[in-house]
Amino acid sequence: MGTGWELTQALREKIYLYASYPQTSVSIRQMVQFGPNPSPGSIFLASQFIVEELPIRLALKVKDLENAPLGLSKQPSTIKVKNWYAQSFEELTSLPKPKIDEKLKKLLYSNNGNGARSVSDIEDKHEVNETQNLAQQQSNDVAVNNVFSDDGIVVRHHPHTQQTGARSTRSRSEAPTYGKTYFTPCPMNIVWPKEVYDYNKLVHDALSKIKKRHDATVATMAQGVSEWKTEHKIVSVNSAIQTFLDRFYMSRIGIRMLIGQHIALNMSQQSPTKQRINTFLNGSSGNSNQGAKNGRNNYVGVICTDCNVKEIAEDAAETAKYICEEHYGLFEAPEIQLIAPQESISFMYVPGHLIHILFEVLKNSLRATIEFHTPRLKEQLLKENPGMKESDVDLNDLKFPPTKVIISEGFEDIAIKISDEGGGIARSEIPLIWTYLYTTVDKTPVLDSDGNNQTSFRAPMAGFGYGLPISRLYAQYFGGDLKLISMEGYGTDVYIHLNRLSSSSEPLP
């Protein structure tokens, strides 16, 4: 992975040029307008947009990592992550541009009853200003611009010259994505030329390679923070590092969302054969969902338009219990009770994000429950059985209290409460659980020399201290939140609020 690759001065200059361009936000509405059977023409135009937008975001990541505060930029793991972003930038900007002849241009841009618009049509001043303002509106968002936050206490960054100076200084019209949008409607009932499929495949393959390269980014950056902590002998929270990592991980979620969505759309685009069948079966409209895979009609890329919260919670619970059983050598993990008064609660969301949030919280609850109750239950068992030795007590003989997952649907959002009896958290430690420097595990998992950390794919029970902070960012990315209330000596309640996505836009730092 990147053997023999280096960040040259010429490439660095190009990266800094792109980092000066403003980003273009992509709304959730745009992402789902493709439908379950995307037109290859729409994917083609979206591929062009992605190849121009992603380098801007990747360049910002490289620049941010080079300017990471307090010596974090000098850590070996931080440099490794920076080089991954630089290499991905180079690969995307090196992709050959597609050749669009007059015939293809007519297919892509002619208004033929499907509402297709050309790039020049899209360069409407109102729309351009709208996308620009989306980013500006988010500048005060706690998730992307905070010095320090915990439940009930939020200290926001006040804009100053250093902060604004680090961001884009060029006018919007100079950006490669100026006036362009991610989704452009194109005809569904035609067989597209080979060039369209070839370019879509080229971009799909490039994005798949980039996505795989960055799979270990979260764990590798966590190791970078650990290296920084060891070098500086720091134990207490540092707000500068906290703010930097909040911004870093939030923008990473955005990049991964765009890449994952585009790869999924590419894989579900209509093949020529499928288009011919649809045209034959459905007439000229060709907009039926019959061509979609069975059971995937409610998916547009990675977004599920009818996401069943209870089913996702069941999946997360099973995964968390499995990891718990493996870690503690249990035949069966403590019970997780699912309570959903409205039974069937569905809304538009990204199942991958939701299962990540629920899994992290449930994993923490199971661990707290086992570690808090084990000595107490052992002591109780020995009292009840005077002839028994402590060494005879098996963890599987103990009966742990259940963790409860309560799901409720409101008018504005979906709320999930996870309640455990894991002993709670001391009030003085609650601010620390939201930082990337805090873990209650004695030994942090170690990455191998190539940065291929297996624990980033098969999650450890605990150790890096980034599970809760990143889960909160996932919730905040789509306008939701994650809050925690604890009773020391008894247990903890975690509240997950999930925004209904129709009004959500990307929070761009």
Side-chain angles (χ1 to χ4, degrees):
M1 197 192 304
T3 306
W5 185 90
E6 65 172 325
L7 176 54
T8 63
Q9 185 56 34
L11 180 59
R12 180 179 276 105
E13 287 171 10
K14 188 176 181 181
I15 285 169
Y16 272 68
L17 170 66
Y18 270 76
S20 69
Y21 294 134
Q23 303 168 79
T24 301
S25 65
V26 178
S27 69
I28 302 304
R29 191 176 289 119
Q30 279 186 58
M31 288 187 185
V32 298
Q33 276 182 299
F34 288 90
N37 265 338
S39 162
S42 291
I43 299 289
F44 179 82
L45 293 172
S47 295
Q48 287 182 280
F49 175 88
I50 285 285
V51 167
E52 291 171 336
E53 174 63 21
L54 274 179
I56 296 171
R57 301 191 185 199
L58 294 170
L60 279 167
K61 300 286 275 184
V62 175
K63 186 177 177 181
D64 283 351
L65 286 163
E66 285 206 334
N67 295 297
L70 306 174
L72 181 60
S73 61
K74 296 183 176 67
Q75 303 308 316
S77 294
T78 308
I79 293 167
K80 187 181 289 181
V81 172
K82 179 192 75 177
N83 287 340
W84 287 345
Y85 281 108
Q87 192 174 354
S88 297
F89 171 91
E90 184 180 46
E91 287 172 6
L92 276 180
T93 52
S94 301
L95 286 178
K97 294 189 183 299
K99 290 178 182 175
I100 305 176
D101 57 25
E102 286 303 314
K103 186 181 174 185
L104 180 53
K105 192 179 288 185
K106 202 170 180 181
L107 290 174
L108 290 168
Y109 299 130
S110 64
N111 194 334
N112 50 15
N114 288 331
R117 297 180 298 166
S118 68
V119 171
S120 60
D121 292 331
I122 294 165
E123 288 178 1
D124 177 82
K125 210 168 195 176
H126 171 71
E127 283 195 36
V128 171
N129 286 340
E130 186 183 20
T131 55
Q132 187 177 16
N133 290 339
L134 286 173
Q136 290 170 349
Q137 288 164 10
Q138 298 293 342
S139 62
N140 290 323
D141 193 302
V142 178
V144 295
N145 198 15
N146 66 319
V147 170
F148 182 80
S149 67
D150 74 53
D151 294 292
I153 302 172
V154 175
V155 184
R156 299 198 180 184
H157 229 5
H158 294 287
H160 51 80
T161 48
Q162 186 181 352
Q163 184 73 16
T164 53
R167 292 293 160 204
S168 55
T169 54
R170 292 176 175 268
S171 70
R172 178 147 188 85
S173 61
E174 291 180 74
T177 50
Y178 172 69
K180 299 178 185 177
T181 56
Y182 183 47
F183 173 74
T184 306
C186 284
M188 299 285 290
N189 59 331
I190 65 168
V191 176
W192 289 86
K194 183 175 180 291
E195 294 82 2
V196 168
Y197 292 98
D198 288 346
Y199 185 69
N200 288 352
K201 185 178 186 305
L202 178 75
V203 174
H204 169 272
D205 291 348
L207 293 179
S208 298
K209 184 180 176 184
I210 287 168
K211 187 172 185 289
K212 188 175 181 183
R213 173 182 295 127
H214 293 273
D215 277 347
T217 294
V218 172
T220 309
M221 267 311 291
Q223 178 127 327
V225 175
S226 181
E227 291 163 0
W228 175 84
K229 201 166 116 178
T230 302
E231 182 182 311
H232 293 272
K233 298 180 174 61
I234 298 274
V235 176
S236 59
V237 178
N238 187 291
S239 63
I241 297 289
Q242 175 72 14
T243 302
F244 170 80
L245 290 171
D246 269 349
R247 294 178 66 90
F248 175 85
Y249 288 129
M250 182 61 95
S251 64
R252 178 184 185 268
I253 291 170
I255 290 170
R256 297 284 284 190
M257 180 69 199
L258 272 187
I259 290 176
Q261 178 70 355
H262 199 70
I263 288 172
L265 287 173
N266 254 290
M267 292 171 73
S268 59
Q269 72 180 322
Q270 290 189 331
S271 67
T273 305
K274 192 189 290 181
Q275 287 180 64
R276 288 193 189 97
I277 292 169
N278 276 354
T279 304
F280 176 74
L281 291 175
N282 307 312
S284 59
S285 66
N287 286 327
S288 168
N289 286 342
Q290 290 176 25
K293 293 177 185 175
N294 291 336
R296 296 288 294 185
N297 285 1
N298 58 353
Y299 272 80
V300 180
V302 296
I303 300 169
C304 181
T305 56
D306 190 29
C307 180
N308 188 302
V309 183
K310 189 179 179 186
E311 286 178 8
I312 297 290
E314 285 169 350
D315 286 348
E318 286 304 311
T319 309
K321 285 173 73 174
Y322 171 74
I323 293 292
C324 177
E325 287 159 2
E326 288 275 296
H327 183 78
Y328 291 104
L330 289 167
F331 294 131
E332 191 172 353
E335 184 188 359
I336 296 176
Q337 294 177 354
L338 229 59
I339 303 163
Q342 288 115 316
E343 196 55 40
S344 182
I345 299 172
S346 297
F347 74 132
M348 186 165 71
Y349 210 74
V350 181
H353 288 193
L354 181 51
I355 201 164
H356 177 99
I357 297 167
L358 289 168
F359 168 72
E360 284 295 339
V361 177
L362 287 169
K363 186 161 60 81
N364 286 350
S365 289
L366 291 176
R367 175 174 169 247
T369 298
I370 289 171
E371 298 193 357
F372 178 69
H373 284 281
T374 295
R376 289 161 180 77
L377 291 172
K378 276 186 176 179
E379 189 180 340
Q380 186 182 330
L381 195 64
L382 291 170
K383 273 183 183 176
E384 292 169 358
N385 301 277
M388 185 182 278
K389 295 178 184 176
E390 190 173 346
S391 57
D392 296 332
V393 179
D394 189 275
L395 213 55
N396 289 290
D397 298 331
L398 308 179
K399 178 69 176 171
F400 297 98
T403 295
K404 293 179 182 176
V405 179
I406 302 145
I407 305 166
S408 178
E409 183 177 25
F411 182 73
E412 293 183 5
D413 63 11
I414 310 290
I416 303 169
K417 180 170 86 164
I418 297 173
S419 294
D420 66 53
E421 295 177 31
I425 302 161
R427 211 149 60 99
S428 61
E429 287 186 5
I430 285 179
L432 298 175
I433 66 169
W434 299 114
T435 73
Y436 300 94
L437 306 179
Y438 178 75
T439 176
T440 54
V441 173
D442 294 332
K443 192 176 180 184
T444 301
V446 179
L447 302 176
D448 64 39
S449 57
D450 295 325
N452 299 321
N453 176 37
Q454 291 306 311
T455 57
S456 64
F457 312 113
R458 183 182 174 190
M461 198 64 195
F464 284 118
Y466 61 71
L468 272 181
I470 287 184
S471 294
R472 183 166 68 170
L473 292 184
Y474 269 111
Q476 290 174 333
Y477 182 74
F478 284 132
D481 206 356
L482 190 154
K483 293 187 175 294
L484 183 147
I485 298 171
S486 183
M487 293 173 67
E488 188 181 7
Y490 181 77
T492 302
D493 288 349
V494 172
Y495 292 84
I496 301 162
H497 294 275
L498 305 168
N499 188 30
R500 295 183 183 277
L501 287 194
S502 56
S503 61
S504 297
S505 296
E506 288 189 288
L508 298 179

